[in-house]
Amino acid sequence: MYGPALHLAVELDGDGAHPAAWRRAAHAPDRLLTPRRTAEVAAVAENAGFTLITLDDGVLPPGTAADPVGRIGAVERAAFVAASTSTIGIAPVVPLTYAEPFHVSSQLASLDHISAGRAGWVVTEEERAEAARAWGRPVVADADGRARESRDGVDVVRDLWDSWEDDAVIRSVATSRYLDRDRLHYIDFTGDTYAVKGPAIVPRPPQGQLVVLGSPDRVPADRLDVALVGGRDLAAVRTAAAGAGTPRVLAEVEVALDTPEATGAERVADLERYARWTDRGRLRHIGSAEQLVALLDELSSHVDGVRLHPLVLDEDLGVLSRLVLPALSARRLVARPLPGTSLRSTLGLERPANRFAAAAAVAQEDAR
């Protein structure tokens, strides 16, 4: 684990991790898809001291016919949140199974500029055939094919972020030149299913490379900065974390906390009358804030952080803010992100050198 801090991320999509979470939400259903709701929840997480928020997404609507469905795109929500926050990291989920990596690269680079270097990216897959029809693309039905699309897509996006050197924008009034075109580069990527030449249409992100998060089971570890690992018990989480092979590791933990009105178990039972809480192979805590603090304390010996998935945001996020994060802070297990600090810096990750600039420097040195 890097340093003394346990980095806490929280998933803020919808009304919570349970498919029927909206039934216990503290707002009318029509407020879910509003900018104010997005900003309010993000503000609670930032004020509580979370390191990172993630925003789930996919081309298909979430939920089932019995529940409210629909969401605003994660990148659009992330851009809105970036403008209304100042310290917390923001990582939208962007699947690569059918999306164009060139456009993904541009969107995420723009997000990093908007947030002044606080952006990340959660790489996932589109598994349902309906997603292919929505994109107008052939179905990628097998797991190997989806993994290939994720692998190639991450390579393209990372290469495009480097296709502008850091000093490519010169803004020279004297010469009427905005760009130094010698510092823009073709990436010349050729994969199994497509080719991309580049360069990007957005300058290199402030972080150089955004923080890339994902499951090492689906994206090669050498393409990730942060592994998101599951496991239904502590032993499974420890094993997954030990074998992740990434610079940082976050454990996935679903939480249903005791509140003044009901215990976590009672709240789960109430929602289970309407839908089942899907088992995604994650560690699940149902109980008190004190027990969660003890669990996170134990996890801190094995992972660099945790991504929490609250049962119902309007109920659990308040308990996390009032009881869990202050208790972890008192134990010196967590630290708030500092103003003006990039997400990479907060996580203890170095800003990577531009590969084209580095290659040119090596060539110049060899020529001497």
Side-chain angles (χ1 to χ4, degrees):
M1 178 180 163
Y2 174 83
L6 184 71
H7 300 291
L8 293 186
V10 60
E11 170 57 51
L12 296 185
D13 184 58
D15 279 314
H18 197 286
W22 66 275
R23 295 179 180 274
R24 297 187 64 91
H27 64 85
D30 63 354
R31 289 195 65 235
L32 179 61
L33 303 183
T34 62
R36 176 171 294 181
R37 165 68 181 178
T38 300
E40 288 173 351
V41 177
V44 172
E46 180 171 59
N47 292 335
F50 280 96
T51 298
L52 175 69
I53 62 174
T54 63
L55 300 164
D56 200 5
D57 203 3
V59 70
L60 301 175
T64 62
D67 298 304
V69 296
R71 55 160 64 104
I72 301 171
V75 175
E76 289 78 9
R77 281 179 286 159
F80 184 81
V81 168
S84 62
T85 56
S86 59
T87 60
I88 198 166
I90 308 154
V93 169
V94 184
L96 281 171
T97 310
Y98 303 108
E100 295 287 350
F102 189 93
H103 300 316
V104 172
S105 168
S106 300
Q107 290 176 317
L108 293 173
S110 298
L111 175 62
D112 205 42
H113 283 285
I114 293 169
S115 65
R118 292 181 287 122
W121 170 30
V122 182
V123 184
T124 59
E125 300 174 354
E126 297 276 16
E127 296 184 0
R128 290 185 284 175
E130 294 91 335
R133 290 196 289 270
W135 281 100
R137 300 277 303 277
V139 175
V140 182
D142 61 294
D144 289 343
R146 292 193 298 271
R148 176 201 63 220
E149 294 299 298
S150 294
R151 179 200 68 219
D152 288 355
V154 172
D155 284 345
V156 169
V157 171
R158 284 192 178 277
D159 287 350
L160 286 167
W161 288 335
D162 271 355
S163 65
W164 290 50
E165 295 183 31
D166 290 317
D167 52 358
V169 179
I170 55 177
R171 298 186 178 94
S172 172
V173 176
T175 62
S176 300
R177 295 168 66 213
Y178 179 73
L179 293 174
D180 181 346
R181 65 181 183 181
D182 291 333
R183 292 185 171 89
L184 269 63
H185 305 276
Y186 295 116
I187 67 168
D188 294 323
F189 175 88
T190 301
D192 295 336
T193 57
Y194 58 84
V196 178
K197 194 170 186 64
I201 58 174
V202 178
R204 195 173 193 230
Q207 296 182 96
Q209 298 269 324
L210 277 69
V211 176
V212 181
L213 307 91
S215 169
D217 294 335
R218 299 188 176 190
V219 182
D222 61 357
R223 270 79 164 182
L224 297 174
D225 297 300
V226 180
L228 300 173
V229 300
R232 294 183 177 87
D233 54 41
L234 283 171
V237 172
R238 285 196 297 266
T239 300
T246 53
R248 302 287 175 267
V249 178
L250 299 187
E252 302 272 37
V253 181
E254 298 172 338
V255 295
L257 297 170
D258 297 345
T259 70
E261 291 75 29
T263 66
E266 289 170 343
R267 296 193 300 118
V268 171
D270 177 49
L271 294 178
E272 291 290 280
R273 295 182 297 147
Y274 306 102
R276 296 297 303 273
W277 192 1
T278 306
D279 182 356
R280 301 184 184 278
R282 297 168 177 160
L283 190 62
R284 185 173 290 181
H285 170 77
I286 301 175
S288 70
E290 293 79 7
Q291 292 168 330
L292 178 59
V293 170
L295 173 63
L296 297 179
D297 192 349
E298 187 169 358
L299 280 170
S300 68
S301 301
H302 309 286
V303 296
D304 302 289
V306 171
R307 180 165 70 146
L308 299 174
H309 299 262
L311 179 80
V312 180
L313 284 174
D314 286 341
E315 295 178 325
D316 293 284
L317 195 55
V319 179
L320 291 167
S321 301
R322 294 191 309 271
L323 300 178
V324 176
L325 272 81
L328 292 171
S329 180
R331 296 189 185 197
R332 300 182 182 274
L333 284 175
V334 297
R336 286 177 173 271
L338 298 174
T341 303
S342 71
L343 179 57
R344 296 191 73 89
S345 295
T346 297
L347 294 174
L349 299 168
E350 293 184 0
R351 186 181 190 275
N354 183 290
R355 69 178 181 90
F356 291 101
V362 170
Q364 289 178 359
E365 186 65 28
D366 292 343
R368 291 175 180 174

